[in-house]
Amino acid sequence: NAGVMQNPRHLVRRRGQEARLRCSPMKGHSHVYWYRQLPEEGLKFMVYLQKENIIDESGMPKERFSAEFPKEGPSILRIQQVVRGDSAAYFCASSPISRATDTQYFGPGTRLTVL
Amino acid sequence: GESVGLHLPTLSVQEGDNSIINCAYSNSASDYFIWYKQESGKGPQFIIDIRSNMDKRQGQRVTVLLNKTVKHLSLQIAATQPGDSAVYFCAENILRGSRLTFGEGTQLTVNP
């Protein structure tokens, strides 16, 4: 059973370009979460999605950031017009059912570098 | 060896010693707590979890203790090995909520 998959693992963009990060949850999981980690800091929640629905996006910046989880295919975190402050590791997690005690399993992350 | 909350982000121990990593959580409504291990360049790896109706839970070489009175969580690693070297994060979740709130982490270094 494959774990959470993320690609690309590393992404380099110039200021003003767009970044697209993909996440395929574990088999049987229909809940996806995105977190951002700045260097030497903990993970910060960004957004929680179920298939075709955004459940909680309270941790996501209001501008330039968007996320989707279509009926078919991976979840996408999209950052438009990237700035240097967007440089971070972005982690995706998945869980089978959204309850307080369902563990979230993390992918290897995408490390975004904005030049 | 033992860390003290979030004010001592590093812990160095000798191989074979026991390690204690501490975490102070903020929300008294939190119902579920998890410890994750993160190695350099990798995603967080689940270690052990505990619900708020428990005060202790044991796994293989690891024990988590929960003190709700003072909102304190600890991870004990028995017979620490070099492969245990990593950053350890505690995370909390509120009942019926879905986001995890992470602490800032403790870097554990195991010296051979």
Side-chain angles (χ1 to χ4, degrees):
Chain A
N1 186 13
V4 178
M5 299 175 68
Q6 291 187 248
N7 68 83
R9 295 292 307 276
H10 299 273
L11 182 61
V12 179
R13 285 288 179 265
R14 296 191 180 279
R15 281 179 296 169
Q17 292 184 320
E18 178 180 288
R20 279 182 180 246
L21 289 62
R22 297 175 192 80
C23 169
S24 295
M26 288 179 68
K27 187 177 181 179
H29 288 193
S30 58
H31 299 252
V32 166
Y33 315 81
W34 286 93
Y35 294 83
R36 177 165 63 178
Q37 185 177 34
L38 296 173
E40 298 188 3
E41 293 190 8
L43 283 75
K44 298 289 194 294
F45 169 80
M46 298 181 73
V47 61
Y48 160 43
L49 309 102
Q50 297 177 17
K51 286 284 188 180
E52 299 184 282
N53 284 307
I54 297 174
I55 307 302
D56 180 0
E57 57 181 346
S58 58
M60 200 151 69
K62 295 288 187 286
E63 298 180 353
R64 301 190 298 107
F65 285 72
S66 62
E68 63 177 10
F69 189 16
K71 187 176 181 181
E72 302 291 337
S75 174
I76 306 287
L77 179 66
R78 181 185 179 200
I79 310 173
Q80 295 178 289
Q81 299 175 337
V82 296
V83 300
R84 288 213 174 110
D86 296 333
S87 294
Y90 292 83
F91 291 97
C92 167
S94 73
S95 68
I97 299 173
S98 177
R99 295 178 310 189
T101 56
D102 277 329
T103 302
Q104 295 181 20
Y105 296 92
F106 284 82
T110 294
R111 279 144 187 85
L112 172 65
T113 301
V114 180
L115 302 178
Chain B
E2 182 169 348
S3 70
V4 180
L6 302 176
H7 301 291
L8 189 66
T10 61
L11 176 64
S12 184
V13 301
Q14 291 298 123
E15 182 178 358
D17 286 352
N18 296 332
S19 302
I20 300 175
I21 300 172
N22 296 300
C23 177
Y25 64 92
S26 56
N27 195 331
S28 57
S30 293
D31 181 70
Y32 177 54
F33 304 88
I34 314 103
W35 280 100
Y36 285 95
K37 171 187 180 183
Q38 187 176 26
E39 296 175 279
S40 180
K42 297 184 179 180
Q45 176 188 353
F46 172 84
I47 300 174
I48 192 168
D49 59 1
I50 189 168
R51 302 183 186 187
S52 61
N53 61 353
M54 304 170 66
D55 54 18
K56 181 179 180 179
R57 191 170 186 209
Q58 288 184 293
Q60 186 177 10
R61 282 202 307 120
V62 294
T63 301
V64 56
L65 299 177
L66 174 63
N67 185 331
K68 294 182 291 294
T69 302
V70 295
K71 293 190 287 187
H72 183 269
L73 194 68
S74 69
L75 176 70
Q76 300 178 2
I77 305 174
T80 315
Q81 303 168 359
D84 295 328
S85 294
V87 177
Y88 289 80
F89 292 99
C90 65
E92 60 187 292
N93 192 329
I94 298 172
L95 180 63
R96 298 292 179 189
S98 296
R99 66 165 64 192
L100 289 174
T101 300
F102 281 80
E104 292 185 357
T106 296
Q107 172 72 59
L108 174 66
T109 301
V110 182
N111 302 308

